[in-house]
Amino acid sequence: MDLSGRVALVTGSSRGIGRAVALELAAHGALVAVNYAGNDAAAEETAAAVRAAGSQALLVKADVANQEQVDNMVKSVLSAYGRLDILVNNAGVTRDNLLPRIREEDWDTVLNVNLKGAYNCTKASVRPMLKARWGRIISISSVVGLAGNPGQANYAASKAGLLGFTKSVAREVGSRGITVNAVAPGYIETEMTALLPEDNKNALLGQVALGRLGKPEEVAAAVAFLAGGAAGYITGQVIVVDGGMIS
């Protein structure tokens, strides 16, 4: 998976899965634009780790739910590197609650960041890919978007929407050498899952065939595969990385 000379934009890459993806792509030679919304220190840590891996990193602060900010972010990447080859739509938020208790603002926030954010970033990023007649667009969905989960109707809707979005855009741009795919992680060791009570964690583990939570690096490996030349004939697909949770 030689990505030397390729330029990748990874949204929400200041921590968690996004950081692991940025580091994995850098390890294969990609130059990485590290997007984040607010945590400057965490984003700097990711950028420093990318550079330590022997690659280049560009910090691009932007709210993916804001089209103007996204357009400016992509312009910054093109100005710095002259190209954009790989987009990873990873930025996401949760506002969990049972449906009768989900506030309208929490519904809107989750859909705006998780789904509209992917639309904004893909729309802006696909233009230089169309000109180059080569590109890789990979969105991070979730097994929750495939199977649902109590208390996450808003999150599930946003992640399921990403799958339909992925399949539709794949059909639109395939003739230009651009592949569009999604990765659907299960329960992964992140700051989010670290906050779960032990009873909840044990219940989750009982659903996973491999009997453990996944690691961000295992999701990142799937993303790197889809970004590389070996996956050039794979598009419109969803790779589930869940340890056998919903199989």
Side-chain angles (χ1 to χ4, degrees):
M1 292 186 294
D2 184 9
L3 299 176
S4 299
R6 298 294 186 189
V7 175
L9 169 59
V10 184
T11 68
S13 50
S14 62
R15 58 194 174 94
I17 291 174
R19 176 178 288 181
V21 169
L23 293 177
E24 183 72 14
L25 296 179
H28 291 287
L31 312 178
V32 182
V34 176
N35 162 258
Y36 67 107
N39 193 330
D40 296 281
E44 288 283 1
E45 288 179 9
T46 300
V50 167
R51 295 177 186 125
S55 187
Q56 297 181 34
L58 175 70
L59 286 171
V60 280
K61 187 175 184 177
D63 175 3
V64 296
N66 184 302
Q67 183 70 70
E68 183 178 1
Q69 291 185 31
V70 168
D71 288 343
N72 289 333
M73 172 176 66
V74 171
K75 288 177 183 176
S76 295
V77 175
L78 294 174
S79 177
Y81 297 121
R83 60 191 297 167
L84 177 53
D85 305 291
I86 301 163
L87 168 67
V88 182
N89 289 310
N90 168 76
V93 297
T94 58
R95 297 289 186 274
D96 295 350
N97 219 328
L98 295 175
L99 180 61
R101 299 174 183 170
I102 294 179
R103 298 178 301 173
E104 183 178 359
E105 63 189 86
D106 290 337
W107 177 274
D108 290 344
T109 295
V110 171
L111 270 292
N112 282 339
V113 174
N114 299 5
L115 185 54
K116 184 183 176 184
Y119 153 77
N120 287 340
C121 293
T122 303
K123 183 179 180 181
S125 300
V126 78
R127 291 167 182 152
M129 294 179 186
L130 289 169
K131 291 180 181 178
R133 301 185 72 86
W134 196 97
R136 299 285 188 265
I137 298 170
I138 304 149
S139 294
I140 306 300
S141 180
S142 170
V143 294
V144 173
L146 292 166
N149 198 41
Q152 290 193 306
N154 49 1
Y155 185 74
S158 70
K159 294 301 187 178
L162 270 180
L163 302 182
F165 178 76
T166 292
K167 292 178 178 294
S168 296
V169 178
R171 291 180 175 273
E172 292 184 14
V173 300
S175 63
R176 296 295 187 92
I178 302 169
T179 66
V180 188
N181 293 289
V183 174
Y187 287 97
I188 308 298
E189 290 180 4
T190 63
E191 293 178 14
M192 189 184 306
T193 54
L195 297 175
L196 292 172
E198 284 302 315
D199 288 348
N200 289 19
K201 288 182 183 179
N202 292 333
L204 292 175
L205 287 175
Q207 302 175 43
V208 180
L210 294 182
R212 64 174 177 85
L213 297 183
K215 298 181 182 301
E217 292 78 13
E218 292 172 310
V219 179
V223 174
F225 167 70
L226 291 173
Y233 201 57
I234 299 173
T235 195
Q237 302 304 308
V238 183
I239 293 182
V240 179
V241 185
D242 71 346
M245 177 181 169
I246 64 168
S247 60

